[in-house]
Amino acid sequence: MPVGSPECSRDLYRPRPASERIIAGALLAAAAVSVASTIGIIGVLLTESLGFFREVSVWRFLGDTEWTPLFAQQRFGVWALVAGTFLTSVIAVGTALPLGLLAAIYLSEFASARLRGILKPSVEILAGIPSVIYGYFALAFVTPALQRVVPGLAGFNALGAGLVMGIMILPIIASLSEDAIHAVPLSLREAAYALGGGKLAAIRRVVLPTAISGIGASVIIGVSRAVGETMIVAIAAGQQPRFTLDPRVPIETMTAYIVQVSLGDTPAGTLEYRTIFAVGMTLFLFTMALNLASHALRKRVLKGGLL
Amino acid sequence: MSEAPARGVTRTDRERLGPERAFRAICLIALVLPLLLLAVLVGRALVQGWPQLSFSFISGYPSRLPQEAGILPALVGSAGLMVLTVAMAVPVGVGAAIYLEEYAPSGRLTSLIEVNISNLAAVPSIIYGLLGLELFVRAMSMGRSLLAGAATLALLLLPMVILASREALRTVPHSMREACYALGADRWQTIRRVVLPTALPGILTGIILALARAIGETAPLITIGALTYVPFLPDSVHSPFTALPIQIFNWISRPQPGFHVDAAAGIVVLLAIMLLMNGLAIVLRARYQRNACS
């Protein structure tokens, strides 16, 4: 209702203190749901993980490199899963960082405003494709294509999954790096040009080093996204936990293990059931640490500490 | 332009042009390459799934025979999930955004809530699945139902909805609020009658984008127990269910190549739905920006 109309101003003159407090309370409760969400996540992970660690000591969890909780001979070395996550994430970032950074440089240094208006949303599309579709691409198209060039590449492997994951996280690195590069003050660039450097020299020696904190933060966020990714690796990377750095063999990531158990019929309350929470807790801690690191880096950028 | 090279100047303009052009080309290739790759992959999926795309596919049920398989339970499940998720996430998310933008005093509690929301946005979706499993499926005894799935997705989308709604609320000029206060309105009246309706298109855009993300979510739903083989339609919010991405995942996991054709067809349907949703959001946003100037 427009502010100036007669009905509106008649209503507006009635003060209603009690209902105002109720409404404010309801809205605060809505905001509190987000806090409850965090408490819920930590609570759930902690409770079940503690139940797990009552039966399996932390040393068996952190001190072993074989993960076979669903076999008769149960080994609980989480490093097998961590290695799988690490390998796929490294391949993903190794793909996304060079491509994303170069794309960001093009968008901020070379592209006209109109071209940027077309290209930037197009890059964002890459991030909007559901990961189950990317997983299918990795399994059905990318791996067979790679098998023609990489000898000994298994049907399920970290390389294909990692490459496709890299394409998925490329927009994160490109977008955030572009923001960081864009934030470099014009005066610094002009100083570089004034010294006779050309565009290349200005980028290489002034713009990129200045934007490095922001670029670093974007990489960390990209890694965090890759670590938490589930469907691409569940479909294309395999279900064989293996403590290896070989990108050609099947492995299993932390996230894929949780999916594997969820698809089966492990009854609740058993040790096998609790393993998904122990792994989930590990995953949560990793991503939290990465997010804290990226926050710290970005605070350094915002504080004016561009240098 | 430079004659004798002074200290610090290493090349003439002409010498610089070649490498600069090459670098520019490399950067452009880096940008376009992934887009081309995506186009090729989507094209291959389209070609592969095309034979299976028909009305009987969209209205049929999953089957042991790949040619007979259909995605109706998956479509109905996804639709039901979206409706329930919106019903849960929008009131809470928009309410929280209104509180943070209009009511919250700037202080430690508010900063805590804001930091918390941005942390939640970064939590992997499968962790939300674990939360949903323990909290909704087990502790609240919802079972592996549509309701539990929707509640889990609602929590997952909450940070997105809050952030988008806050952005939309921020674009409402302060002068409008102050005009209302000048006329004697209290805060809620101002919000309800002026601020919220003005911010509504932006909020709607945010909701549609969040839904477009939710419709492709697989991992949290698998974790809370969405079934992968559902030859029936869910009959209530308490019934077991499946969703389109889960059906696709199920077909991918089967060894027979016929099911891969089904998966490709399902992918085409999912991409078409997402294209529609994103298109709707873009149209809304364009309309909104046009109106905001008036």
Side-chain angles (χ1 to χ4, degrees), chain B residues 224-283:
Chain B
I224 61 136
L227 303 173
T228 57
Y229 185 73
V230 176
F232 56 86
L233 293 181
D235 52 2
S236 82
V237 297
H238 297 291
S239 95
F241 69 102
T242 187
L244 190 51
I246 298 182
Q247 185 63 71
I248 295 172
F249 174 66
N250 174 258
W251 280 330
I252 294 175
S253 320
R254 306 257 195 115
Q256 299 97 318
F259 283 117
H260 284 208
V261 176
D262 289 331
I267 285 174
V268 172
V269 173
L270 180 58
L271 283 176
I273 295 177
M274 290 187 65
L275 200 66
L276 276 172
M277 292 176 89
N278 278 299
L280 186 62
I282 291 175
V283 164

Side-chain angles (χ1 to χ4, degrees), chain A residues 187-271:
Chain A
S187 50
L188 282 176
R189 279 174 229 259
E190 291 183 339
Y193 295 148
L195 285 167
K199 202 150 196 175
L200 255 185
I203 294 174
R204 189 164 63 95
R205 289 170 180 241
V206 175
V207 176
L208 283 185
T210 313
I212 198 82
S213 301
I215 297 175
S218 79
V219 170
I220 296 179
I221 295 179
V223 172
S224 172
R225 183 78 180 78
V227 162
E229 174 49 44
T230 310
M231 296 318 294
I232 301 181
V233 284
I235 293 174
Q239 286 191 346
Q240 298 182 28
R242 191 172 298 182
F243 187 71
T244 177
L245 285 178
D246 187 352
R248 305 169 305 162
V249 298
I251 45 100
E252 189 169 46
T253 63
M254 295 190 271
T255 48
Y257 172 72
I258 299 176
V259 165
Q260 179 191 7
V261 173
S262 304
L263 284 170
D265 38 9
T266 311
T270 60
L271 180 64

Side-chain angles (χ1 to χ4, degrees), chain A residues 37, chain B residues 81 84-90 92 128 136 148-161 214:
Chain A
S37 206
Chain B
L81 268 181
L84 287 173
T85 305
V86 163
M88 289 190 247
V90 169
V92 177
Y128 281 98
F136 299 128
T152 308
L153 282 182
L155 282 184
L156 177 67
L157 295 183
L158 199 60
M160 270 181 83
V161 175

Side-chain angles (χ1 to χ4, degrees), chain B residues 87-203:
Chain B
M88 289 190 247
V90 169
V92 177
V94 177
I98 294 177
Y99 176 79
L100 289 170
E101 279 300 306
E102 309 282 333
Y103 284 85
S106 50
R108 290 197 60 191
L109 179 63
T110 309
S111 313
L112 192 73
I113 297 180
E114 289 177 338
V115 167
N116 183 50
I117 290 173
S118 75
N119 278 334
L120 279 177
V123 170
S125 60
I126 198 163
I127 306 265
Y128 281 98
L130 290 175
L131 171 63
L133 178 62
E134 282 282 284
L135 181 60
F136 299 128
V137 176
R138 291 186 62 206
M140 291 172 69
S141 306
M142 289 186 198
R144 313 158 117 206
S145 61
L146 261 179
L147 199 58
T152 308
L153 282 182
L155 282 184
L156 177 67
L157 295 183
L158 199 60
M160 270 181 83
V161 175
I162 294 179
L163 287 168
S165 304
R166 286 191 75 177
E167 279 299 314
L169 287 169
R170 271 190 211 136
T171 63
V172 177
H174 265 292
S175 51
M176 286 179 105
R177 293 185 183 87
E178 289 176 354
C180 280
Y181 296 149
L183 286 163
D186 60 36
R187 214 182 312 199
W188 177 241
Q189 285 168 328
T190 312
I191 295 171
R192 187 165 61 95
R193 289 166 182 268
V194 175
V195 178
L196 206 51
T198 313
L200 201 61
I203 294 178

Side-chain angles (χ1 to χ4, degrees), chain A residues 3 11-12 16 20 23 28 30 34-35 38 48 103 119 122 128 130 136 167 195-196 198-199 273 277 280 291, chain B residues 9 16 20 31 35 37 48 99 103 116 120 122 127 134 138 183-189 193 260 267 274:
Chain A
V3 178
D11 274 312
L12 294 179
R16 292 184 273 188
E20 176 80 24
I23 289 168
L28 175 59
S34 63
V35 178
T38 308
E48 293 289 349
L119 287 176
S122 311
Y136 178 72
I167 296 184
L195 285 167
K199 202 150 196 175
Y273 173 77
F277 292 92
N291 287 315
Chain B
V9 176
R16 256 184 253 129
E20 197 178 295
L31 188 97
L35 296 174
L37 189 60
Q48 189 179 30
Y99 176 79
Y103 284 85
N116 183 50
L120 279 177
I127 306 265
E134 282 282 284
R138 291 186 62 206
L183 286 163
D186 60 36
R187 214 182 312 199
W188 177 241
Q189 285 168 328
R193 289 166 182 268
H260 284 208
I267 285 174
M274 290 187 65

